Each structure stands twice: as C-alpha cells, then as structure tokens.
Amino acid sequence: MIKLAIIGSGDLGQLIAHHALLTQQFEVVGYFDDYAQVGEIKSGIPVLGSTQLVEASFQSGVFEQLMIAIGYKHFEARAFFFDKYFGSIPFAKVVHPSAIVDPTCEIGEGSVLLSGCILDVHVKIGKNVLLNTGVMVAHDSSIGDHSFLAPRCNIAGFVQVGPKNFIGIGATVIDNISTVALASIGGGALVNRNIEEPGLFVGVPAKKIK
C-alpha cells in the first residue's frame, strides 16, 4: 500500500480519499489543510496539520505520495501547491476501478479519474487534472494541466483543452476544437468553435458572457 496524503480536507478531499481507497492501492494517512483543526477527523481520516508541514512530513516518512484536492473555484491555489511540490514529492494517480482507459493513454501525475470515465485511444491527460464521474474523452484529445471536468462532459476527437480549464456538467466539445488557458464552459454548453480568450462561455452554441 502507498501512503497517500491529500492537500484539502473538504468535500473534494474526502471524495478523492474515498476513491483512492477503492483502488486498493493506497492507504490515506491524512489531510493537510490551512483551514481545519489538527486532529479533526474527516470521513475517518485525520487532519495532520497545515500545508507548512507537508515537506517535513514527507521527509519523515509520514506519507509517500501526495494529491491536491482544491477545486475549480481556486485554480491558482490548485496550481500553486502542485507546482510547489512537483519534482520533490511524488504525486499519485488515482483511477477508479470502473474507469475505462485505453493502454495508449497518458495520465499525468496528480490526476484523478472518478467512476465511469472513458479515455479513448491516444488521449493525454495533463498533470493535476480531475475528471469527474462519467467524463468521456475521445481519441487523440488532450486535457491541459490543472483542469477540472465536471460529470458527464463529452470531449470529441482531436480536441486540445488548455490548462486551468473548467468544463461544466454535461457540456460537449465537438471535434478539432482548442481552448486557451482559464476558459470556463458552463453546464450543458456546446462548444463548436475555438475558444481564444479566457472567460465564461455558456449556451448552445457556447458564447462568452464574461
């Protein structure tokens, strides 16, 4: 068993912990959280302390691999903590047993695939990416670092999703589309043209509203 620690003890951290345990590859030893009490128990797992203790805890053998459980509303913090420790602390990959992943796929460090995800041939998932329940990514597409895809997103073939993207529940991106960094796609939206500037895009077809 790999001893796993998670930055963030909120709902997302507890969700990742649950699915990590389901893989039977990890022992989740605890959370690091700047906004929770040391020793507090979250879904049966203790808060070990603040994020200031991450490096010392790794060096002393408290854990072996790390995950980031910071959601899409805090992309800069999500990326900051990953970049801070990447290269000095190994990051885990958590893939739910029900996910279907073609052998040709690449999954970056720190990424999570929840139940029912499907990755087709030659899909590339970047680092520190979360694919929520039932996300489908078709052949030859890529998802940029730190991105967060909500349940039941559908990504067609040859799509290039930029870093720090959020794609809302049930959204669809048609084939051969690319998006820039920090693009947000609203739930149920249909993206049928390239997104070339950051912002929030909603509707069918998706249009920028802010």
Side-chain angles (χ1 to χ4, degrees):
M1 288 283 193
I2 298 168
K3 292 189 291 184
L4 177 67
I6 299 172
I7 293 180
S9 66
D11 293 337
L12 182 59
Q14 293 173 56
L15 180 69
I16 291 174
H18 173 79
H19 288 289
L21 292 171
L22 283 180
T23 69
Q24 299 184 350
Q25 297 176 339
F26 301 98
E27 173 193 359
V28 183
V29 298
Y31 306 104
F32 295 100
D33 196 317
D34 295 332
Y35 304 98
Q37 294 293 321
V38 177
E40 185 177 355
I41 304 299
K42 302 283 193 79
S43 298
I45 299 167
V47 175
L48 301 174
S50 73
T51 56
Q52 294 180 344
L53 300 177
V54 170
E55 290 179 297
S57 297
F58 173 70
Q59 294 296 333
S60 62
V62 172
F63 69 94
E64 298 168 299
Q65 293 186 2
L66 187 63
M67 294 294 300
I68 306 296
I70 298 173
Y72 64 90
K73 293 183 179 180
H74 304 283
F75 270 127
E76 294 307 321
R78 180 176 174 81
F80 169 80
F81 282 110
F82 183 86
D83 293 341
K84 180 177 181 178
Y85 300 116
F86 182 68
S88 59
I89 297 176
F91 281 86
K93 300 176 188 179
V94 174
V95 178
H96 191 276
S98 67
I100 299 173
V101 180
D102 189 88
T104 62
C105 294
E106 299 177 17
I107 300 174
E109 289 187 47
S111 290
V112 180
L113 276 64
L114 298 186
S115 56
C117 289
I118 300 174
L119 304 187
D120 199 3
V121 61
H122 299 309
V123 165
K124 296 181 180 180
I125 305 298
K127 299 182 290 294
N128 193 30
V129 171
L130 187 139
L131 304 186
N132 216 309
T133 306
V135 169
M136 192 283 294
V137 184
H139 63 92
D140 300 287
S141 290
S142 65
I143 310 297
D145 294 348
H146 314 299
S147 291
F148 196 108
L149 275 62
R152 294 292 178 187
C153 291
N154 295 296
I155 310 298
F158 297 105
V159 169
Q160 308 293 318
V161 173
K164 301 178 187 176
N165 273 212
F166 170 71
I167 302 181
I169 187 168
T172 297
V173 182
I174 71 167
D175 56 294
N176 293 289
I177 293 294
S178 63
T179 68
V180 299
L182 293 170
S184 293
I185 312 302
L190 172 64
V191 181
N192 65 354
R193 63 182 63 186
N194 291 343
I195 292 180
E196 299 175 341
E197 57 182 329
L200 174 60
F201 297 78
V202 301
V204 179
K207 296 181 180 180
K208 185 177 181 180
I209 62 170
K210 64 178 181 179

